[in-house]
Coordinates of all heavy atoms in Angstrom, one line a residue:
L1 N 0.8 -1.2 0.0 CA 0.0 0.0 0.0 C 0.9 1.3 0.0 O 0.5 2.3 -0.6 CB -0.9 0.0 1.3 CG -2.2 1.0 1.2 CD1 -3.1 0.6 0.1 CD2 -2.8 0.9 2.5
A2 N 2.1 1.2 0.6 CA 2.8 2.3 0.7 C 3.5 2.7 -0.7 O 4.0 3.8 -0.9 CB 4.1 2.1 1.8
G3 N 3.7 1.7 -1.5 CA 4.1 2.0 -2.9 C 5.7 2.1 -2.9 O 6.3 1.7 -1.9
N4 N 6.2 2.6 -4.0 CA 7.7 2.6 -4.2 C 8.0 4.1 -4.2 O 7.6 4.9 -5.2 CB 8.0 2.0 -5.5 CG 9.5 1.8 -5.7 OD1 10.2 2.7 -5.3 ND2 10.0 0.7 -6.4
P5 N 8.8 4.6 -3.3 CA 9.1 6.1 -3.4 C 10.1 6.5 -4.6 O 10.0 7.7 -5.0 CB 10.0 6.3 -2.0 CG 10.5 4.8 -1.7 CD 9.4 3.9 -2.2
K6 N 10.9 5.5 -5.2 CA 11.6 5.8 -6.3 C 10.8 6.2 -7.4 O 11.1 7.0 -8.3 CB 12.6 4.7 -6.6 CG 13.6 4.4 -5.4 CD 14.6 5.6 -5.4 CE 15.6 5.3 -4.2 NZ 16.5 6.5 -3.9
L7 N 9.6 5.4 -7.6 CA 8.7 5.7 -8.7 C 8.0 7.1 -8.5 O 7.7 7.8 -9.5 CB 7.7 4.5 -8.8 CG 8.3 3.2 -9.2 CD1 7.2 2.1 -9.4 CD2 9.1 3.2 -10.6
A8 N 7.7 7.3 -7.2 CA 7.0 8.6 -6.9 C 8.0 9.8 -7.3 O 7.4 10.8 -7.7 CB 6.7 8.6 -5.4
E9 N 9.1 9.6 -7.1 CA 10.2 10.6 -7.3 C 10.2 11.1 -8.8 O 10.5 12.2 -9.2 CB 11.6 10.3 -6.9 CG 11.7 10.2 -5.4 CD 13.1 9.6 -5.0 OE1 14.0 9.5 -5.9 OE2 13.3 9.5 -3.7
I10 N 10.0 10.1 -9.7 CA 10.0 10.4 -11.1 C 8.6 10.7 -11.7 O 8.3 10.7 -12.9 CB 10.6 9.2 -11.9 CG1 9.8 7.9 -11.8 CG2 12.0 9.0 -11.6 CD1 10.3 6.7 -12.6
G11 N 7.7 10.9 -10.8 CA 6.3 11.4 -11.2 C 5.3 10.3 -11.4 O 4.2 10.7 -11.8
L12 N 5.6 9.1 -11.1 CA 4.5 8.0 -11.2 C 3.8 8.0 -9.8 O 4.3 7.7 -8.9 CB 5.1 6.6 -11.5 CG 5.9 6.5 -12.9 CD1 6.5 5.2 -13.0 CD2 4.9 6.8 -14.0
S13 N 2.5 8.2 -10.0 CA 1.6 8.2 -8.8 C 1.6 6.9 -8.0 O 1.5 5.8 -8.7 CB 0.2 8.6 -9.2 OG -0.7 8.5 -8.0
Q14 N 1.7 6.9 -6.9 CA 1.6 5.8 -6.0 C 0.4 5.7 -4.9 O 0.5 5.1 -3.9 CB 3.0 5.6 -5.2 CG 4.2 5.4 -6.0 CD 4.2 4.1 -6.6 OE1 4.4 3.0 -6.1 NE2 4.0 4.2 -8.0
S15 N -0.6 6.4 -5.3 CA -1.8 6.6 -4.5 C -2.5 5.3 -4.4 O -3.2 5.1 -3.3 CB -2.7 7.7 -5.1 OG -3.0 7.4 -6.4
M16 N -2.4 4.4 -5.3 CA -3.0 3.1 -5.3 C -2.2 2.0 -4.7 O -2.5 0.8 -4.5 CB -3.5 2.6 -6.8 CG -4.5 3.5 -7.3 SD -5.0 2.9 -9.0 CE -5.6 1.2 -8.7
G17 N -1.0 2.5 -4.3 CA 0.0 1.5 -3.8 C 0.9 1.0 -5.0 O 0.9 1.5 -6.2
S18 N 1.7 0.0 -4.7 CA 2.6 -0.5 -5.8 C 1.7 -1.5 -6.6 O 1.5 -2.7 -6.1 CB 3.8 -1.3 -5.0 OG 4.5 -1.9 -6.0
M19 N 1.3 -1.2 -7.7 CA 0.5 -1.8 -8.6 C 1.3 -2.7 -9.6 O 0.8 -3.4 -10.5 CB -0.6 -1.1 -9.2 CG -1.7 -0.7 -8.4 SD -2.6 -2.0 -7.6 CE -3.3 -2.7 -9.1
E20 N 2.6 -2.5 -9.6 CA 3.4 -3.3 -10.7 C 3.3 -4.8 -10.4 O 3.4 -5.3 -9.3 CB 5.0 -2.9 -10.4 CG 5.8 -3.6 -11.5 CD 7.3 -3.4 -11.2 OE1 7.7 -2.7 -10.1 OE2 8.1 -3.9 -11.9
G21 N 3.0 -5.5 -11.5 CA 2.8 -7.0 -11.5 C 1.5 -7.4 -10.9 O 1.4 -8.7 -10.6
K22 N 0.6 -6.5 -10.6 CA -0.7 -6.9 -10.0 C -1.9 -6.7 -11.0 O -1.8 -5.9 -12.0 CB -1.0 -6.1 -8.8 CG 0.1 -6.4 -7.6 CD -0.2 -5.6 -6.5 CE 0.8 -5.7 -5.3 NZ 2.1 -5.3 -5.7
E23 N -3.0 -7.5 -10.9 CA -4.1 -7.4 -11.6 C -4.9 -6.1 -11.0 O -5.2 -6.2 -9.8 CB -4.9 -8.7 -11.5 CG -4.4 -9.7 -12.6 CD -4.6 -9.5 -14.0 OE1 -5.9 -9.4 -14.3 OE2 -3.8 -9.4 -14.8
V24 N -5.4 -5.3 -11.8 CA -6.2 -4.2 -11.4 C -7.4 -4.7 -10.7 O -8.0 -4.1 -9.8 CB -6.5 -3.2 -12.5 CG1 -7.4 -2.1 -12.0 CG2 -5.2 -2.6 -13.0
R25 N -7.9 -5.7 -11.4 CA -9.3 -6.4 -10.8 C -9.1 -7.0 -9.4 O -10.1 -7.0 -8.7 CB -9.9 -7.5 -11.7 CG -8.9 -8.6 -11.8 CD -9.3 -9.3 -13.3 NE -8.2 -10.2 -13.6 CZ -8.4 -11.6 -13.6 NH1 -9.6 -12.1 -13.1 NH2 -7.4 -12.5 -13.7
F26 N -7.9 -7.2 -8.9 CA -7.8 -7.7 -7.6 C -7.3 -6.6 -6.6 O -7.7 -6.6 -5.4 CB -6.8 -8.8 -7.5 CG -7.4 -10.0 -8.3 CD1 -6.5 -10.8 -9.0 CD2 -8.7 -10.4 -8.3 CE1 -6.9 -11.9 -9.8 CE2 -9.1 -11.5 -9.0 CZ -8.3 -12.2 -9.8
G27 N -6.4 -5.7 -7.1 CA -5.8 -4.6 -6.3 C -4.9 -5.0 -5.2 O -4.5 -6.2 -5.2
I28 N -4.5 -4.2 -4.3 CA -3.6 -4.4 -3.3 C -4.1 -5.4 -2.3 O -3.4 -6.3 -1.9 CB -3.2 -3.1 -2.6 CG1 -2.5 -2.2 -3.6 CG2 -2.3 -3.3 -1.4 CD1 -1.1 -2.6 -4.1
A29 N -5.4 -5.3 -1.9 CA -5.9 -6.1 -0.7 C -5.9 -7.6 -1.1 O -5.3 -8.4 -0.4 CB -7.3 -5.6 -0.4
Q30 N -6.5 -7.9 -2.3 CA -6.6 -9.3 -2.7 C -5.2 -9.9 -3.1 O -4.9 -11.1 -2.9 CB -7.6 -9.5 -3.8 CG -9.0 -9.4 -3.3 CD -9.4 -10.5 -2.4 OE1 -9.2 -11.6 -2.6 NE2 -10.1 -10.1 -1.4
S31 N -4.4 -9.0 -3.7 CA -3.0 -9.4 -4.0 C -2.1 -9.8 -2.7 O -1.4 -10.7 -2.6 CB -2.3 -8.5 -4.8 OG -3.0 -8.2 -6.1
A32 N -2.2 -9.0 -1.8 CA -1.4 -9.1 -0.5 C -2.0 -10.3 0.2 O -1.2 -11.1 0.7 CB -1.5 -7.8 0.3
L33 N -3.3 -10.5 0.2 CA -3.9 -11.6 0.9 C -3.5 -13.0 0.1 O -3.1 -14.0 0.9 CB -5.4 -11.5 0.9 CG -6.2 -12.7 1.6 CD1 -5.7 -12.8 3.1 CD2 -7.7 -12.4 1.6

């Protein structure tokens, strides 16, 4: 959920958390679980 600060520094929003490698339909909660 905290995301990647290095990606935030180059302007990529981390408001949804670290979504790299994840399915949007599952999101952070179901991916972490």
Side-chain angles (χ1 to χ4, degrees):
L1 198 62
N4 188 330
K6 296 298 183 183
L7 295 179
E9 290 175 5
I10 61 175
L12 296 178
S13 173
Q14 297 293 289
S15 60
M16 293 178 60
S18 177
M19 287 297 294
E20 182 186 3
K22 297 180 179 63
E23 282 284 300
V24 176
R25 57 202 170 108
F26 299 139
I28 296 296
Q30 287 295 318
S31 297
L33 180 59

